Amino acid sequence: MPPKLFEAVPNFSEGRDAEKVARIADSVRAIPGVRVLDLHSDPDHNRSVLTFVGEGEPLLEASVALARACVEEIDLSDQKGVHPRMGSLDVLPFVPLGPPLSDTTLEEAVRLAKMAGEAISALGLPVYLYGAAASTSYRADLAEIRRGGYDGLVARCEEALWKPDYGPEEIPPRSGAVAVGARLFLVAFNAYLDTNDVEVARAIAGEIRERDGGLPGLKALGLEVGGRAQVSMNLTDLERTPLPTALEAVRRSAENRGARVESTELVGMVPLSAVFEASRYYLALPELGPEHVLEAACWGGWRDPSET
Amino acid sequence: MPPKLFEAVPNFSEGRDAEKVARIADSVRAIPGVRVLDLHSDPDHNRSVLTFVGEGEPLLEASVALARACVEEIDLSDQKGVHPRMGSLDVLPFVPLGPPLSDTTLEEAVRLAKMAGEAISALGLPVYLYGAAASTSYRADLAEIRRGGYDGLVARCEEALWKPDYGPEEIPPRSGAVAVGARLFLVAFNAYLDTNDVEVARAIAGEIRERDGGLPGLKALGLEVGGRAQVSMNLTDLERTPLPTALEAVRRSAENRGARVESTELVGMVPLSAVFEASRYYLALPELGPEHVLEAACWGGWRDPSET
């Protein structure tokens, strides 16, 4: 029987001080049974994304260690960056992992998110459940919880509708609040344009995102990052909108505005199936699958990190 | 230390009788320590390609078992197909596997090919060494050994220049001869056109292949397969000519002739790096690597097949 694995993809509000980022990541690495897969820091966003995998119990322990490290290292009242945020540990989603590595369900991720939220709140942090773990439908969308960032949340949490699910009812200025949730695999995929005109990126984002009638499961923002216009995307339903569909929509929309996609980047990880889908699409190779790949066929299943 | 792994990719001259093909593949599966990764039968070519992986000793044992099964199941004097062939077990190449799975060298694959060739010849089969294992430079190219198929070889092996490296000097009509060699990873990649005019495929092949001034390490033939024109390619140097480079050359050349690539297929396996290269190229995602892929980061190394 495959192990019950989840991915955790916390976002925390430090992307410039490499030593602080390292200490925060090390707090997770120290937990036996947890495998840290990726750490991506963005100085412009002043934000880092950590990706780690493990079974429920080690992940619970790692979540508490991570929240404690973020509270110690990050003073939110002193933090500036392009990205909206409401907490030092800003967001902590749990994602069920499917075949061939595991066979965990979204319901199991919801149970884990609630346990983690409760455990983190004992550190004095207000916790908002979101996504599939939300206690009520208007909190399912992370953007609704985080609207207006820290200040917006402080103003709103006076109302009964916006009390935290766990923890203190007042939002501490230093740590802020944290959103803990459960969701399906999400791919963060950014396209850089050959222009510095952020309005072009915003117009493209408005054309392609689901909210404004675009592609299913696609969220998009136009940003200026490092002096270039960027279409920042989240793909939340890879079945209906895989990477090539999103990118080709950006390319068409950019072309109509006299711009071009120069390069793209992934923030965090993708499932192997997303890479295969891209090769299938562009190589006109409909039958390509992991069974065609030497490494995938030879490698074993989940390798307990304590064995390495 | 990683294990010393090789891939073996034998081609044998039966692609229509599913029971014979299965018995031949089972002769390899029966050897402990060998993992069969792929079996691809082509009824038009009347030919199958088996892909298996293991360390040297099990592969040696599997090679002899495979040769014996091919001799028992296939009567070459009674065999017809589109593809040129000279033996029942027609070709047996050994390929060194690199990181992250192993760290085997081409020299080690040459030693294994010579041992396998000698062992197979004891069954009464004439063996020609080719590729990096060739005893002399004019035999390095498989096409030179196989020129004219079985009949061509029978005529030529009268000359001292074309004596086999191992085994009897007369080519038995039932089994034919076998080419045993060592080479780097080869990808067999076919593009189907939206025409049945094989001349279009031949013209494209002539334009893109290395021999006629085209892309480095690319071999290509125009064939008619299942009523459609096919550009059949072997990519022997993925560093210099990766899949997208080859396919885009076919697409451009086809367009100039009023044709289009409808779909492509892989025969056998590719290294994971080839799939990543395709995604990097088409998604304009230069930094994509296995470290971005959840499964690759979680999976263990070589898993001994006897453990499964």
Side-chain angles (χ1 to χ4, degrees):
Chain A
M1 230 181 56
K4 289 286 182 186
L5 295 170
F6 304 85
E7 182 199 41
V9 198
N11 292 224
F12 56 88
S13 300
E14 178 59 67
R16 291 174 187 163
D17 185 327
E19 291 187 9
K20 287 189 176 189
V21 169
R23 283 195 296 267
I24 292 169
D26 284 346
S27 73
V28 170
R29 287 198 182 90
I31 309 300
V34 170
R35 182 185 295 272
V36 171
L37 300 183
D38 192 53
L39 171 61
H40 181 98
S41 291
D42 186 319
D44 295 294
H45 287 178
N46 196 8
R47 188 176 181 80
S48 296
V49 180
L50 188 66
T51 307
F52 55 95
V53 171
E55 297 191 82
E57 210 165 316
L59 286 196
L60 209 53
E61 199 182 336
S63 301
V64 174
L66 171 71
R68 186 178 286 120
C70 287
V71 167
E72 282 169 9
E73 301 287 348
I74 302 167
D75 184 349
L76 200 68
S77 62
D78 198 33
Q79 195 263 9
K80 295 273 172 294
V82 180
H83 205 288
R85 84 287 179 279
M86 65 181 205
S88 50
L89 171 57
D90 197 50
V91 193
L92 174 58
F94 293 96
V95 178
L97 293 185
L101 212 51
S102 181
D103 70 344
T104 314
T105 65
L106 186 58
E107 290 65 37
E108 290 168 317
V110 167
R111 281 203 294 277
L112 179 58
K114 289 181 177 173
M115 286 189 287
E118 201 162 358
I120 288 172
S121 73
L123 303 175
L125 287 172
V127 171
Y128 289 84
L129 294 172
Y130 82 100
S135 50
T136 164
S137 63
Y138 65 86
R139 294 186 182 189
D141 186 357
L142 178 62
E144 289 298 317
I145 299 174
R146 206 163 52 184
R147 185 183 301 280
Y150 171 81
D151 297 330
L153 189 65
V154 165
R156 251 172 311 141
C157 77
E158 306 275 304
E159 310 161 37
L161 281 176
W162 286 101
K163 297 289 174 220
D165 287 288
Y166 306 110
E169 297 195 354
E170 290 219 346
I171 318 283
R174 185 183 157 92
S175 68
V178 52
V180 179
R183 58 164 172 78
L184 294 175
F185 208 101
L186 176 150
V187 172
F189 181 53
N190 300 330
Y192 287 94
L193 306 179
D194 63 348
T195 172
N196 57 10
D197 184 355
V198 69
E199 290 308 324
V200 174
R202 287 193 184 129
I204 294 170
E207 194 174 307
I208 63 169
R209 67 186 162 217
E210 179 173 36
R211 201 177 73 201
D212 296 333
L215 295 166
L218 181 68
K219 300 177 181 185
L221 284 174
L223 301 173
E224 196 199 307
V225 175
R228 281 195 296 167
Q230 183 201 77
V231 183
S232 171
M233 291 173 277
N234 277 346
L235 283 70
T236 67
D237 188 341
L238 285 175
E239 290 279 317
R240 293 163 73 204
T241 304
L243 290 171
T245 307
L247 179 59
E248 292 307 308
V250 174
R251 281 179 170 149
R252 273 192 306 275
S253 179
E255 203 180 321
N256 292 339
R257 291 170 173 81
R260 223 173 45 82
V261 173
E262 273 193 335
S263 65
T264 68
E265 66 176 4
L266 286 171
V267 183
M269 316 282 285
V270 292
L272 191 55
S273 56
V275 178
F276 279 91
E277 179 56 32
S279 289
R280 275 193 291 269
Y281 177 89
Y282 288 111
L283 295 175
L285 185 53
E287 290 181 3
L288 179 70
E291 69 277 13
H292 289 105
V293 170
L294 191 77
E295 284 86 347
C298 289
W299 282 0
W302 167 247
R303 185 178 50 164
D304 191 306
S306 59
E307 289 169 21
T308 58
Chain B
M1 229 180 56
K4 289 285 183 186
L5 295 171
F6 304 86
E7 182 199 42
V9 198
N11 292 223
F12 56 88
S13 300
E14 177 59 67
R16 291 174 188 164
D17 186 327
E19 290 186 9
K20 287 188 176 190
V21 169
R23 282 195 297 268
I24 292 168
D26 284 347
S27 73
V28 170
R29 288 198 182 91
I31 309 300
V34 170
R35 184 185 294 271
V36 172
L37 300 183
D38 192 53
L39 171 61
H40 180 97
S41 291
D42 186 319
D44 295 295
H45 287 178
N46 196 8
R47 189 176 179 81
S48 296
V49 180
L50 188 67
T51 308
F52 55 97
V53 172
E55 297 191 83
E57 209 165 314
L59 286 196
L60 209 52
E61 200 181 335
S63 301
V64 174
L66 171 70
R68 186 178 287 119
C70 287
V71 167
E72 281 169 11
E73 300 288 348
I74 302 168
D75 185 350
L76 199 68
S77 60
D78 197 33
Q79 196 264 9
K80 295 273 173 294
V82 180
H83 204 288
R85 85 285 180 280
M86 65 183 207
S88 50
L89 171 58
D90 197 50
V91 192
L92 174 59
F94 293 97
V95 179
L97 294 184
L101 212 51
S102 182
D103 71 344
T104 314
T105 64
L106 186 58
E107 289 66 37
E108 290 167 318
V110 166
R111 280 204 295 277
L112 179 57
K114 289 180 176 173
M115 285 190 287
E118 201 163 358
I120 287 172
S121 74
L123 302 175
L125 288 172
V127 170
Y128 289 84
L129 295 172
Y130 82 100
S135 51
T136 166
S137 63
Y138 65 87
R139 293 186 182 189
D141 186 357
L142 178 62
E144 289 298 317
I145 299 175
R146 204 163 52 186
R147 185 183 301 279
Y150 171 81
D151 297 329
L153 189 64
V154 165
R156 252 173 311 139
C157 76
E158 306 275 305
E159 311 161 36
L161 280 176
W162 285 101
K163 296 288 174 221
D165 288 288
Y166 306 110
E169 297 196 356
E170 291 222 344
I171 318 283
R174 185 184 157 92
S175 68
V178 52
V180 179
R183 57 164 173 78
L184 295 175
F185 208 100
L186 175 148
V187 172
F189 181 52
N190 301 329
Y192 287 93
L193 306 179
D194 63 349
T195 172
N196 56 10
D197 184 355
V198 69
E199 290 308 324
V200 174
R202 287 192 185 129
I204 294 170
E207 194 173 307
I208 64 170
R209 68 186 161 217
E210 180 173 37
R211 201 177 70 201
D212 296 333
L215 295 165
L218 181 68
K219 300 177 182 185
L221 284 175
L223 301 173
E224 196 199 306
V225 176
R228 282 194 296 167
Q230 182 201 79
V231 183
S232 172
M233 292 173 276
N234 277 348
L235 283 71
T236 68
D237 188 340
L238 286 175
E239 290 279 317
R240 293 164 75 204
T241 304
L243 290 171
T245 308
L247 179 59
E248 292 308 307
V250 174
R251 281 179 170 150
R252 273 193 306 276
S253 179
E255 204 179 321
N256 292 339
R257 292 171 171 81
R260 222 174 46 82
V261 173
E262 273 193 337
S263 65
T264 68
E265 66 176 5
L266 287 170
V267 183
M269 316 282 285
V270 292
L272 192 55
S273 57
V275 178
F276 280 92
E277 179 56 32
S279 289
R280 275 193 292 269
Y281 177 89
Y282 288 111
L283 294 174
L285 185 53
E287 291 181 3
L288 179 70
E291 69 277 14
H292 289 105
V293 170
L294 190 77
E295 284 86 348
C298 288
W299 283 0
W302 165 247
R303 186 178 49 165
D304 191 306
S306 59
E307 289 170 21
T308 58

